[in-house]
């Protein structure tokens, strides 16, 4: 088994962010760290989980890798000791702890053995699914070993403690469904179906070929699903997601927003047969048109080369193809019309079922005692009486409010006169205060006059003289 080129490994996010020393630690046998260094042990297991998933989804770990066949992208094939050759790195070596990683991922339900997954009757999300696995392992095998394989008891030391890499691979060799990749792919398929559905019943119906053609290439950007991947996917969508029902060759999407019942009916089978016939005829019409176009180009080329006889042969062939295409188009139109009528009729059935259900619901509601005529009249009379009482209360409150306002009414002219009187009182007080201040200043001046008596005596004649002048 050839190793993955280092250039490809380096493109994985886990390798791109890891140094050489880190890779040497990851490639070493860290099985014994589970008890001595559980933090480092968990980190290493998680690193390898992301690495295995990234390599698997790119198709690098499939048994058909490099053979030209479609590689598996959901199912991991742990083929044994040769499996580690995928990850050989020059200067680092081969990873020794991948068997330990696979065992841990099985214990955490990140990996599920392929046979267990396909044969289980209960959902992998059902709490009862684990006891089922225990029972299947216990039959014909020692109980303690079976419980250890399932991670129910801790037998790490006895299982992997002193065993060689080859012995460890014997215990984990097999095919496993990678749950995280399966869940992501299923969600993308359901979302694509939800987006493309137009509400017609035919949109929810597929056979295996049309399902592969519609969904195989939309789930992973790195490539389509293989036949084994599709088998696992259909089982998961039907049993665990309850998004489809499968009966024979009919695959039917069910669930919220999708038409139809939760089982495949004879009508579904008939519609799918018509849908498949229409698709096949459409492909024939397209193929015939391509051949006609090719004949047209050939005729033009032969005419340019002045080979009329050969051009005539191709022209005759084109006429025959055009006649066949015309008949196919007529058949296609007839089938499309039939399919449309069938879908319309089936849709009418669904509508009538909705009408019937709505009628039953409406009758159930109308039969309620509160909707009886006598009860309605009684309730409406009580409501009218209550409204009348409420109006009487409102009128009484309004009348009392108006009377209170009338008693408290005040004449505006009286308010104006009172305000004017207050203003006059304030002005009078200001005038009295100013006069008082003037008198105080005068009195203060008289009290200081005796200190200058001589000057006063000298001025008295002058004052008398002035009076004489005035008298004259």
């Amino acid at each position: 088994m050839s190793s993955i080129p280092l250039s490809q490994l380096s493109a994985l996010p886990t390798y791109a962010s890891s140094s050489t020393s880190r890779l040497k630690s990851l490639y070493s046998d860290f099985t014994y760290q589970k008890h001595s260094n559980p933090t480092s042990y968990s980190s290493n297991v998680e690193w390898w989980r992301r690495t295995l998933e990234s390599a698997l989804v790119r198709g690098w770990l499939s048994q058909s890798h490099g053979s030209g066949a479609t590689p598996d992208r959901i199912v991991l094939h742990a083929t044994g000791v040769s499996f580690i050759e995928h990850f050989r790195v020059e200067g680092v070596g081969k990873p020794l702890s991948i068997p330990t990683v696979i065992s841990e991922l099985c214990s955490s339900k990140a990996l599920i053995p392929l046979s267990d997954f396909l044969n289980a009757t209960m959902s992998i999300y059902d709490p009862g699914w684990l006891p089922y696995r225990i029972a299947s392992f216990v039959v014909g095998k020692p109980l303690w070993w079976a419980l250890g394989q399932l991670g129910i008891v801790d037998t790490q030391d006895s299982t992997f403690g002193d065993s060689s890499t080859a012995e460890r691979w014997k215990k984990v060799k097999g095919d496993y469904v990678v749950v995280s990749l399966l869940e992501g792919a299923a969600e993308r398929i359901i979302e694509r179906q939800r987006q493309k559905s137009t509400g017609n019943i035919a949109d929810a119906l597929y056979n295996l070929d049309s399902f592969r053609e519609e969904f195989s290439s939309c789930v992973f950007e790195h490539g389509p699903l293989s036949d084994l991947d599709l088998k696992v996917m259909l089982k998961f969508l039907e049993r665990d997601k309850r998004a489809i029902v499968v009966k024979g060759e009919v695959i039917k999407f069910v669930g919220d927003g999708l038409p139809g019942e939760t089982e495949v009916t004879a009508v579904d089978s008939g519609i799918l047969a018509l849908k498949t016939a229409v698709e096949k005829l459409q492909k024939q019409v397209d193929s015939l048109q391509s051949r006609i176009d090719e004949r047209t180009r050939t005729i033009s080329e032969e005419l340019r080369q002045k080979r009329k006889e050969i051009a005539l042969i191709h022209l005759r062939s084109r006429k025959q193809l055009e006649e066949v295409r015309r008949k196919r188009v007529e058949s296609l139109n007839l089938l499309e019309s039939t399919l449309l009528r069938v879908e319309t009729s089936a849709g009418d059935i669904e509508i009538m079922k909705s009408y019937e259900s709505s009628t039953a619901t409406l009758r159930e509601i109308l039969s309620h005692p509160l909707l009886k005529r006598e009860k309605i009249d009684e309730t409406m009379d009580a409501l009218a009486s209550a409204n009348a009482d409420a109006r009487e209360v409102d009128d009484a409150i309004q009348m009392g409010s108006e009377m209170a306002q009338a008693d408290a009414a005040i004449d505006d002219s009286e308010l104006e006169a009172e305000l004017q009187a207050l203003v006059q009182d304030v002005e009078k007080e200001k005038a009295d205060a100013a006069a008082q201040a003037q008198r105080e200043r005068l009195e203060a001046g008289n009290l200081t006059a005796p200190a200058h008596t001589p000057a006063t005596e000298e001025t008295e004649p002058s004052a008398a003289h002035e009076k004489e002048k005035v008298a004259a």
Side-chain angles (χ1 to χ4, degrees), residues 34 82 90 158 197 312 332 387 406 444 447:
K34 182 172 184 178
S82 61
E90 190 69 27
S158 61
S197 179
L312 182 61
L332 178 60
N387 287 332
L447 291 175

Side-chain angles (χ1 to χ4, degrees), residues 1-4 8-9 12 15 48-66 71-79 82-88 98 102 174-175 178 181:
M1 184 173 292
S2 61
S3 61
I4 302 172
Q8 292 184 359
L9 288 176
L12 299 180
Y15 278 84
W48 274 111
R49 181 192 68 79
R50 292 186 286 117
T51 298
L52 290 174
E53 290 181 1
S54 297
L56 178 62
V57 79
R58 288 167 170 78
W60 298 346
L61 304 182
S62 176
Q63 293 176 322
S64 60
H65 176 57
D72 300 324
R73 305 181 192 277
I74 293 177
V75 179
L76 175 68
H77 302 282
T79 53
S82 61
F83 181 83
I84 62 179
E85 292 293 336
H86 286 300
F87 300 97
R88 177 190 288 273
I98 288 186
I102 294 175
D175 301 324
V178 182
L181 297 179

Side-chain angles (χ1 to χ4, degrees), residues 188-208:
R188 285 186 284 274
I189 288 176
I190 293 173
E191 181 60 26
R192 181 178 178 86
Q193 173 62 25
R194 184 180 295 113
Q195 291 177 355
K196 73 177 287 291
S197 179
T198 61
N200 295 325
I201 296 178
D203 293 337
L205 299 172
Y206 299 88
N207 56 26
L208 183 60

Side-chain angles (χ1 to χ4, degrees), residues 355-471:
Y355 287 165
E356 184 178 7
S357 176
S358 300
T359 301
T361 303
L362 183 58
R363 291 189 181 280
E364 181 70 22
I365 294 173
L366 293 176
S367 65
H368 195 279
L370 289 176
L371 297 181
K372 297 297 183 182
R373 182 70 185 186
E374 302 81 17
K375 189 64 177 179
I376 293 174
D377 292 339
E378 179 184 347
T379 302
M380 297 308 296
D381 290 341
L383 179 60
S385 177
N387 287 332
D389 294 341
R391 282 194 298 271
E392 291 179 2
V393 172
D394 290 340
D395 293 342
I397 293 174
Q398 182 68 23
M399 184 178 297
S401 176
E402 292 175 354
M403 293 175 64
Q405 291 179 359
D407 293 341
I410 301 174
D411 191 356
D412 291 343
S413 61
E414 293 180 2
L415 290 176
E416 185 67 26
E418 186 176 349
L419 178 62
Q420 187 64 31
L422 291 174
V423 172
Q424 291 176 359
D425 290 344
V426 172
E427 291 179 351
K428 183 178 179 181
E429 289 177 359
K430 289 183 179 180
D432 292 345
Q436 181 65 27
Q438 182 66 23
R439 285 194 296 272
E440 290 176 354
R441 286 196 297 273
L442 291 175
E443 291 175 357
N446 292 334
L447 291 175
T448 56
H452 304 284
T453 303
T456 303
E457 292 177 352
E458 292 178 358
T459 58
E460 285 179 354
S462 298
H465 181 68
E466 290 294 329
K467 289 180 180 180
E468 291 176 357
K469 286 183 177 181
V470 172

